[in-house]
Amino acid sequence: MELLGEEFGDLSPQELAAPVSTVADKWKLLPAFLKVKGLVKQHIDSFNYFINVEIKKIMKANEKITSDADPMWYLKYLNIYVGMPDVEESFNVSRPVSPHECRLRDMTYSAPITVDIEYTRGSQRIIRNALPIGRMPIMLRSSNCVLTGKTPMEFSKLNECPLDPGGYFIVKGQEKVILIQEQLSKNRIIVEQDRKGAVGASVTSSTHEKKSRTNMIVKQGRFYLRHNTLSEDAPIAIIFKGMGVESDQEIVQMIGTEEHVMASFAPSLEECQKAQIFTQTQALRYLGNKVRRQRMWGGPKKTKMEEARELLASLILTHVPVKEFNFRAKCIYLAVMVRRVILAQGDNKVDDRDYYGNKRLELAGQLLSLLFEDLFKKFNSELKKIADQIIPKQRAAQFDVVKHMRQDQITNGMVNAISTGNWSLKRFKMDRQGVTQVLSRLSFISALGMMTRISSQFEKTRKVSGPRSLQPSQWGMLCPSDTPEGEACGLVKNLALMTHITTDMEDGPIIKLAFNLGVEDVNLLCGEELSYPSVFLVFLNGNILGVIRDHPKLVNTFRLMRRAGFINEFVSISTNLTDRCVYISSDGGRLCRPYIIVKKGVPMVKNKHIEDLSQGYRTFEDFLHEGLVEYLDVNEENDCQIALYEHMINKDTTHLEIEPFTLLGVCAGLIPYPHHNQSPRNTYQCAMGKQAMGTIGYNQRNRIDTLMYLLAYPQRPMVKTKTIELIDFEKLPAGQNATVAVMSYSGYDIEDALVLNKASLDRGFGRCLVYKNAKCILRRYTNQTFDKVMGPMLDAATRKPIWRHSILDADGICSPGERVENKQVLVNKSMPTVTQTPLEGSAQPGQPQYRDVPISYKGSTDSYIEKVMISSNAEDAFLIKILLRQTRRPEIGDKFSSRHGQKGVCGLIVPQEDMPFCDTGICPDIIMNPHGYPSRMTVGKLIELLAGKAGVLDGRFHYGTAFGGSKVKDVCEDLIRYGYNYQGKDYVTSGITGEPLEAYIYFGPVYYQKLKHMVLDKMHARARGPRAVLTRQPTEGRSRDGGLRLGEMERDCLIGYGASMLLLERLMISSDAFEVDVCGQCGLLGYSGWCHYCKSSCHVSSLRIPYACKLLFQELQSMNIIPRLKLSRYNE
Amino acid sequence: MRSIMAASMKNVEEIRTRVILGEFGVKNTHTTDFPGNYPGYDDAWSMQKFQQNFRIDVVHLDDSSMEFDMVGIDAAIANAFRRILLAEVPTMAIEKVFIYNNTSIVQDEVLAHRLGLIPIRADPRLFEYRNTGEESAEDQGSEIDTIQLQLKVKCSRNPRASKDSSDPRELYLNSMVYSRDIQWVPVGNQADVFADCRIGPVHDDILIAQLRPGQELDITMHCVKESVGAAGKDHAKFSPVATASYRLLPEITILEPVEGEKAERLKRCFSRGVIDLEDVDGRKVAKVVNSRLDTCSREVLRHADLKNLVKLGRVRDHFIFTVESTGILPPDVLVTEAIKVLMAKCQRFLQELDSTDMD
């Protein structure tokens, strides 16, 4: 009894016996969350933080420029702003621009960056306001975007889709996403084992000024510090002494006075002793000899000792602040590192690099701020250089720096980085490729999926499983299903539905609060306290703050204050019992998600709160402020007891999951009943959902994309999920509900092929529209000539336009609605033959000569012209964009897929009368072979069919939400009520014989996606065609009308078979046969019956060899190797 | 010995005439009454026997749908009727769409596709097939093989709309283009010949497109007679039926008397009206009343104690046909047409047999 009472605390027996009350619609918190946070909110938040806060900090850090030439001259930035996006119409005239206009006109959606400056001109001090220094590409839906705060009606006026998530940039007309980058956390001690099993610690320090990596390693029981500014590993005791801790006792005190700790550290002290280093000066001198020389331009020459001191202060563990060479904090940090290593050696408790608490996600704002900082510094140093150059020269006009502020450096720097994705910043030793990607607009889901994508810094080629495998700590933060197959598997991940990524915040108040809550400042301690068993170390963002005696009280008070709203909701605090530490984090890039707070076994969120929420009296923010819900990051999550469902709550529970299905991401959220599927199937669907055609946005018909696939009749899925509703997939669907019969039919359905009903296709099933564009720019050239568009050419006899020009209007541009055939001209452009400025003196011809460079249509099937846009681009050149359209009905070979990773191509199209039909006269749209099920184990698809069938009969949509959804039992009862078989299997009659089929057929609607792979785009054959210039062999690839290669293995078969003449024909005659003249005497190649070597024609004979062979001979000759052919008659 | 014989005779009779719905599959699906297949049965085909057994009962008939029983015929022939109804009864449908102006958001091809699927009320029997020779795009067709239709709509703002309205139906005029906007343009003497048959779309309220002010459609269409089965021009729009299908007459036999609670459950296992409970000496006994109403859900087979008490079967030669017309012709006419098509085919086959000399 006593035991029981202890376990259930102060709960009365009645309370214990009461049924677990469930908060009925607690999932409604989710839409409320998405309303405030949204799926791409992390991108937008981070960009907003950058353009509103961070950019000012960067300016502050680089605010003053001085010149060496004139000590009186200076330039000081007072303020910096990013404006609203606009476009420069003509000189100094600009107007606001909408994102869609930028897309259409191939421009950059950017806003001017303006600064207020104070500078000197001569002896005058001048203040100038709002001076532009460059342009910043603006993220859509960020605080400076024209779209923020607009109603859907206003969106439509701007030709923008209200459902479009934003969070991307438009650069040169292309939509570019800066992917989220995953990195190891900065400024944290990571203890790890190297390949030989030796334990070491490493810290990647990063501050605004510097980035460095400090390693602590153990060699023969001695501790060393490794840093890339030191030419060799430095004994740790010497470092301590160099930092002013001269007494060995003090060093040991800081590291720890336990017996085994002292024993482990003794050899290091001994080594120091042997090196005869006892004082700080000695240590610094020793280190000074090891410093790797750095190129220092200018500045007073430093002694080696000064250099060493500088190194210790600013390069080693840069993130630990050192003020006026007070190394106290750094010493303690170093001591803690040593202690960690010693403790880890004993129990082999090393940190997990793949643990998500040790990871940080870098977002667009952080990446852009690095880039901007780099560009801004470059801009300033350029200004300084100009000042240094010009000021000494005596000029009539005084030096005015404003005239030398050129905007294009920052503008181009930003635009180029985003459009190429190359982030190479020398100052931060950063050289990354592929940071940005073109936003895929294949379907709404693919665009949305791209916004939640995370790419890892890990190399793709390395074959290690650790970083690729699913980490338990990514539960709820990253989608377990959504990752690509193949080389990037497990390295590219996606955010889960409720994940939020934090941004940096001010840590000053947190420090103050921590000290007020009883944390003892590390600078006031003697060092021995660090290893006292009664105290815990307190870290803030990787820096040691101090020690605390009563750590549970600190953590609890901290959390209470956060719930009360006194501290930012994204500050996390967690205890680590193994390291005896309390970690407080307020840095950016941490993954976190909201949970319902549970107190005394009762969730704080009650039904009445949810009611208020659905009636709009309460928002998600209110839940946060009232302490009902809070954000937990990965580290804090580890410190909590989180119940999945109400009935799992026990007395220790601290939090309750809002909804379990939120652990999946956007793409996996589309799958009905994913918890019934084999897990790789869900992964396959995540990849395929991005290829499904459908609708891409409300503004899809206003877009002129290079490639766009739309479905003629998209449908909402019969079986939906909560996620589908939340991300508005129903408003922009990509697929159709097909009636599927699971049976074998005709043998054209083997290997996952599908049999389609012809009447369904006639009625519009799977019909899709393919849009492509053709572009044409009319340029002006330096010699005052320009491109022209000519009217159609008339046939001399009939006075009608010639066939190639038959679709052209009088203005020489094709007209909308016309049908274009292969090789017809879309824009009859001609270009001047001479575009260079003529050399001085040479006579300018009166009338420039033009040559035709028509934009013509290439394609195996005809297209229709949807629309023609005539505009101008950013360089003021004429821009003509033509949108071409094809309507395609499914044909044999087109690819389809259900939402369960079950893809298949159409194998046969059968007329309706041959299709089987059930008692009610329904024919299937698709027949699918049952062999697709056993090995794939996609039970979710079976349930989807049942739920879909019941839904159709009932006239309502069923839910297939993960870990929930309509239950099979209920769904089957529905079927029975409507007179259908409980198992969904129907009695079916063959359409061919008219007799019933011997088996009952699983029959019902399944949501099918049409994938972008269509035979029409892939079919290829060639008899004759273009050849490569160098080798004269047929070109490669369909796009170049290339040949079909007879590869090595095919060749081996023919060799094995002995079909020598066939080989000769395939490899030479049909490829690059070449007639050469060979001199029988010297064995060299001659030319037109004459040997240039022998100067005779008497031994020259003609033979056929591959051109590549001839080329090889000549190339060998060019490098002084003479290949000689020996000729003999084959009958000799 | 006799009883065994009788039992097997009964078995054979069942195999010959009934399709049995088992728990895991359908038994006796194939027709087996070929001459000589069963000892003691004369399965040779005789006209007299056929005439005696064959009957057609029309159960239900209205403008658009029809249900009739076809009894005493082989599945192959019944299926032939079904197939012909679906695919081979010629129908008029829009085949050519001449778009002079289309500024709506519906793409030309999609619009043409939508128009093509609209059922057109015109008796195909009164038209000829259009010549299948080389046709030019501007081919006008003639009064005997083509119906010309026109769709000319322009959307504009409604001057009388209230200011704060957001309903497009009220704000704009002609914002919805319905099939009723399609006008028939008589060619030649068609105006006189078809004066009384209101040629045009069957249904008035098929939404074709939505327009916004300034957008317009200017389209003429040619309707042509064709059938789905026609080579080259086949399309589901030439099908005269929404669907035509049949099912076999269900037959439920209660093998042992089922009483009380079991009977209640048995009743619930079938569609309403199939089984009734009779009061026999104060006990409720299940009795099959109308097995035709059963949808063959086989629910009873899920009840372990009931599944051996009933036999679910279907009468092999009793076809319950359902024909749903698209509305261009009454369903009964379609069935007669289908029969005519089959007769014509047979005739041709016979002719073919006669004309080729067999060695």
Side-chain angles (χ1 to χ4, degrees), chain A residues 587-630:
Chain A
D587 54 340
R590 283 171 297 127
L591 285 164
C592 60
R593 74 193 290 252
Y595 287 98
I596 295 174
I597 298 169
V598 175
K599 263 189 194 156
K600 291 185 183 170
V602 186
M604 300 292 281
V605 174
K606 300 280 168 15
N607 274 325
K608 68 169 185 339
H609 297 129
I610 299 292
E611 269 166 40
D612 284 358
L613 180 76
S614 33
Q615 282 167 11
Y617 298 147
R618 209 179 264 275
T619 65
F620 189 78
E621 312 264 78
D622 296 329
F623 278 82
L624 278 175
H625 297 326
E626 286 171 37
L628 307 175
V629 163
E630 70 176 341

Side-chain angles (χ1 to χ4, degrees), chain A residues 536 548-559 575 582:
Chain A
F536 270 50
I548 181 83
R549 263 179 228 276
D550 188 1
H551 68 89
K553 192 180 159 208
L554 169 75
V555 172
N556 283 335
T557 337
F558 218 88
R559 287 192 182 147
T575 1
V582 175

Side-chain angles (χ1 to χ4, degrees), chain A residues 23 43 226 396 671 684 714 760 939 1018 1086 1102:
Chain A
V23 183
H43 285 273
R226 181 178 284 171
I671 309 170
Y684 297 156
S760 307
V939 179
K1018 313 230 160 169
S1102 171

Side-chain angles (χ1 to χ4, degrees), chain A residues 187-188 319 506-512 514 537-546 558 571-572 582-587:
Chain A
N187 305 346
R188 306 291 142 108
H319 70 286
E506 211 55 60
D507 55 4
I510 300 169
I511 298 173
K512 217 184 256 171
L537 273 175
V538 180
F539 282 83
L540 172 70
N541 293 334
N543 265 334
I544 302 172
L545 216 54
F558 218 88
V571 177
S572 94
V582 175
Y583 291 112
I584 307 173
S585 313
S586 70
D587 54 340

Side-chain angles (χ1 to χ4, degrees), chain A residues 7-52:
Chain A
E7 191 172 337
F8 293 101
D10 45 77
L11 294 177
S12 70
Q14 284 80 16
E15 280 178 290
L16 282 175
V20 188
S21 68
T22 52
V23 183
D25 289 323
K26 68 181 157 83
W27 68 273
K28 280 188 182 154
L29 275 172
L30 187 54
F33 169 77
L34 291 177
K35 208 190 244 166
V36 266
K37 284 300 172 194
L39 282 165
V40 296
K41 192 68 178 168
Q42 48 270 4
H43 285 273
I44 295 168
D45 273 356
S46 121
F47 185 76
N48 284 348
Y49 180 78
F50 165 54
I51 54 171
N52 297 321

Side-chain angles (χ1 to χ4, degrees), chain B residues 11-141:
Chain B
N11 247 340
V12 167
E13 195 54 39
E14 190 186 285
I15 290 170
R16 283 167 57 89
T17 61
R18 296 291 182 269
V19 173
I20 302 298
L21 302 185
E23 192 175 357
F24 301 111
V26 189
K27 276 170 253 167
N28 312 337
T29 54
H30 299 300
T31 312
T32 47
D33 52 351
F34 316 120
N37 202 15
Y38 295 104
Y41 282 97
D42 176 22
D43 280 326
W45 198 81
S46 94
M47 188 67 189
Q48 199 191 356
K49 237 193 318 191
F50 175 71
Q51 279 176 337
Q52 220 165 51
N53 291 333
F54 183 72
R55 66 171 206 278
I56 289 182
D57 307 323
V58 177
V59 178
H60 169 85
L61 175 65
D62 63 31
D63 287 352
S64 61
S65 69
M66 167 184 198
E67 185 176 308
F68 64 92
D69 289 11
M70 192 181 273
V71 191
I73 201 164
D74 194 72
I77 310 289
N79 191 35
F81 286 128
R82 185 191 68 90
R83 292 171 62 95
I84 289 168
L85 274 167
L86 280 172
E88 278 170 89
V89 176
T91 313
M92 301 291 287
I94 295 171
E95 169 70 4
K96 283 208 152 68
V97 178
F98 300 89
I99 300 179
Y100 298 110
N101 199 1
N102 168 21
T103 48
S104 75
I105 63 148
V106 184
Q107 298 89 344
D108 294 352
E109 302 94 287
V110 177
L111 187 66
H113 174 238
R114 292 179 72 86
L115 289 169
L117 287 172
I118 295 171
I120 300 297
R121 190 193 293 108
D123 194 336
R125 290 170 295 183
L126 307 177
F127 289 89
E128 300 282 317
Y129 285 104
R130 192 149 164 181
N131 251 340
T132 44
E134 262 311 302
E135 311 168 69
S136 69
E138 302 298 322
D139 193 359
Q140 287 300 304

Side-chain angles (χ1 to χ4, degrees), chain A residues 701 762 885 914 976 987 994, chain B residues 83 105 109 236 246 299 314:
Chain A
R701 297 294 302 279
D762 287 343
R885 152 171 46 90
D914 285 344
I976 279 295
Y987 166 97
Chain B
R83 292 171 62 95
I105 63 148
E109 302 94 287
Y246 60 74
E299 172 68 1
R314 305 192 97 171

Side-chain angles (χ1 to χ4, degrees), chain B residues 36 62 64 87 97 171 201 227 263 271 273 295 327:
Chain B
D62 63 31
S64 61
V97 178
L171 279 174
S227 65
S271 305
T295 52

